[in-house]
Structure formats: structure tokens, C-alpha cells
Amino acid sequence: MSKFQMDADWLTFHPSPSNPNFVPPAGAVDAHCHVFGPGDLFPFAPERKYTPCDASKDQLWALRDQLGFSRNVVVQATCHGADNRAMIDALQSSNGLARGVATIKGSITDEELAAMHQAGVRGVRFNFVKRLVDALPFDSLASIAERIAPLGWHIVIYFEAQDLPEYYNFFTSLPTTVVVDHMGRPDVSGPVTGGEFDLFMKLMGDNQNFWSKVTCPERLSLEGPPHYSDVIPFARHVVKSCPDRVLWGTDWPHPNMKTHTPDDGKLVDFIPLIAPTAELQQKLLVDNPMRLYWPEQMGN
Ligand code: 0GY
């Protein structure tokens, strides 16, 4: 019996996802996924805002293989706070097929940063979603940004669309490549152009160091499964506008899903709807993530 009890309103990940119809190009990267625990081995952080199910690296690798992907980017989830051991353990067991995005505190030493780099960490995550974390003040985040910039790392930011005006100037002051999670969580009941989403598109258009994950139809959709049709125009617009600065990922094991359990195979079938040509799919799934996470392997 685990000492951690998953939140009662949580749904676990799909036990038997379908095989996708869409076949990803060779070398495809799932650029946004997580590992949770196992809690008895890698305890969840005392300051966490939710307690998840266990979701192990081996289950993640099995899903990767089933979906036809080759690599993963494991993003530190808030339930582990700044204790990156579960994520790093996954990287170290991946035969070089996974990179990581960490959560760090200002007190981290240069030696600890170097060890993380050695393990495959290539970015840090700044999370501003209030239901998930108490965000650090801007000056603390700015000093973390200065620390990681010389390593060639990037910053992943997660925020709600309605908070973008408040954060805009801080975001554009960041000195590295910046990757936005889930298109900045648009309200998909609004218009793709001429409404709130314009500010996100301006951020992407005016700042060539900004990238976006065109991820998480399952958490953005008001319509819901199986098609998540209301998210498609938003993701398609971002892919079309910034084809060289987009990433895609499953978001397995789907933290905080309370309405339905996404079928990861069906999520893969979302890809050709948002990146309709083979050229766009190659950029989204292979060229872009390889440039960001495995640049040393480009051109081989
Ligand atoms: C996501 C989304 C969520 C959670 C986390 O780190 C996390 O806890 O990322 C969410 O609840 O929206 O990107 O996986």
C-alpha cells in the first residue's frame, strides 16, 4: 500500500490506449510528458497542490513505443516541486532517448546544474498557474534565468491566457529561448483572431525566441473527446504561423484530468489535423524538438 493516496477527483491515465491511425515520421519526439513517482521511491513534494497516481518511466517508454515515437522530453511536474529525482532517474534510464526540463530554486549550486546537464536536462520550467503552484517572484525567476542561460538551456513557461497581459513584459525580458506550454491555455470559446488570442500571437510574432507547444486539446477543449474540434483552429493557426517554433507532446499521464481519460492514440490522431502536411509534421515532431533538445545530433 503506497503512502500516497491519489486525489479522489482525479482520473488516472488510459489503461489501454488505442493504436493511432496517424504514423509519426521516423524519430518523432513526444516533447511534453511527465513521470509521477512512484511515490514510495520518489516522494511527492510536501508543498504540492495535488497528489497524482504513480506513473513510471517504464510505462512512459512503453507508450512511446506503442504510439510510434522515438524520444521523450520529460517535464518536471509540480507534484514533485523542485525535487527532480524522478525526472532525472527517467533520463538516466533512457539510453539518451529522453531529455528533461527541471524546476529549480535559486539556491542550486553550479555543480548541481552541471550534473543536471550531464543527465540530459536542457531547460527549466516557470509555472504561473495559480491552482498548481505559488510562483516565485519575478526577480528570483530572473536570477535563475541568468544562471541557466550560459548552459544553453531554455525556459518553459506555463500560464493562463487571462494572466498574459500581467506577465508579458517579464516574459519578453527573458534572455533565453522561451517555450510556452499549451499555447498559453487559450479560451477556445473565443475567436482565433480578433480576441484574447491575439496577444499570444503577438508574443510569438514579435519575439523570435518564443516557441509554443501545440498540446493539450484534452484540457483546453470545451467540446471534449473524441475530436476536440474546438481546439484545432487555434493549434493550426500557431503551427501555420510559426512552423519552425512549435512542439507537440502527449502530456501523459495527464495531470488533473477530472472530466475524462484521454486516449493517447486519439491524441496522436489530432496531429495531422493541426499540421496537415508531411513537411509541417516533420518540423513539429522531429526537426524542431531535435534542434532544441538534441542539437548535437542534427545533420548526422
Ligand atoms: C501539464 C498541465 C498541468 C499540470 C502540470 O506540472 C504540473 O503539475 O503541468 C495542469 O494541471 O494543467 O502541462 O501537464
Side-chain angles (χ1 to χ4, degrees):
M1 178 79 179
S2 170
K3 62 184 168 220
F4 293 100
Q5 189 70 41
M6 181 178 90
D7 288 350
D9 59 349
W10 252 58
L11 296 171
T12 51
F13 52 91
H14 202 294
S16 52
S18 56
N19 290 325
N21 293 316
F22 173 67
V23 179
V29 181
D30 175 352
H32 186 92
C33 48
H34 312 283
V35 287
F36 297 151
D40 287 344
L41 203 56
F42 302 112
F44 300 114
E47 73 273 21
R48 69 191 181 280
K49 306 259 185 191
Y50 63 81
T51 302
C53 57
D54 286 337
S56 74
K57 61 190 179 194
D58 292 324
Q59 290 168 305
L60 180 58
W61 310 151
L63 181 74
R64 173 198 67 197
D65 294 346
Q66 186 198 338
L67 299 180
F69 280 68
S70 300
R71 293 179 161 87
N72 298 88
V73 178
V74 185
V75 177
Q76 175 74 357
T78 55
C79 54
H80 278 295
D83 177 348
N84 294 278
R85 280 177 296 166
M87 183 270 290
I88 300 238
D89 173 68
L91 304 189
Q92 289 176 328
S93 320
S94 73
N95 294 319
L97 295 177
R99 296 286 194 238
V101 173
T103 296
I104 63 174
K105 294 183 180 158
S107 54
I108 194 165
T109 66
D110 288 344
E111 290 72 26
E112 286 167 328
L113 282 176
M116 281 190 177
H117 189 86
Q118 176 68 25
V121 173
R122 294 293 181 267
V124 292
R125 192 180 198 203
F126 294 172
N127 197 323
F128 300 90
V129 177
K130 296 178 179 94
R131 69 184 161 78
L132 291 173
V133 281
D134 302 316
L136 294 175
F138 286 161
D139 56 346
S140 306
L141 295 172
S143 71
I144 289 173
E146 295 299 335
R147 296 278 307 285
I148 58 100
L151 293 165
W153 291 10
H154 61 271
I155 296 167
V156 172
I157 54 176
Y158 191 23
F159 57 91
E160 307 268 11
Q162 71 266 20
D163 296 327
L164 181 55
E166 182 188 340
Y167 299 142
Y168 195 96
N169 290 341
F170 173 68
F171 289 165
T172 55
S173 75
L174 291 169
T176 65
T177 294
V178 179
V179 181
V180 180
D181 275 343
H182 320 332
M183 303 181 283
R185 293 191 62 103
D187 172 1
V188 299
S189 67
V192 176
T193 59
E196 189 181 54
F197 198 53
D198 282 354
L199 188 63
F200 174 72
M201 292 308 297
K202 176 176 160 51
L203 180 72
M204 293 294 294
D206 290 353
N207 302 279
Q208 295 296 307
N209 61 321
F210 273 67
W211 295 40
S212 178
K213 293 179 195 165
V214 284
T215 33
C216 281
E218 75 283 8
R219 56 175 83 249
L220 300 176
S221 180
L222 302 171
E223 178 196 296
H227 299 305
Y228 307 117
S229 311
D230 46 354
V231 183
I232 292 171
F234 289 83
R236 203 169 166 144
H237 186 51
V238 178
V239 171
K240 190 173 169 206
S241 306
C242 313
D244 297 306
R245 293 182 281 132
V246 283
L247 302 170
W248 187 87
T250 54
D251 196 30
W252 188 89
H254 309 290
N256 288 306
M257 289 303 293
K258 295 172 183 173
T259 53
H260 69 284
T261 300
D263 177 336
D264 300 278
K266 298 275 183 269
L267 291 177
V268 172
D269 286 337
F270 185 76
I271 295 171
L273 303 175
I274 64 170
T277 67
E279 188 188 353
L280 288 172
Q281 292 158 12
Q282 174 73 22
K283 286 173 186 267
L284 176 65
L285 298 172
V286 183
D287 297 349
N288 298 344
M290 289 303 287
R291 203 162 76 249
L292 197 56
Y293 290 100
W294 284 270
E296 69 284 356
Q297 294 193 26
M298 293 297 284
N300 287 345

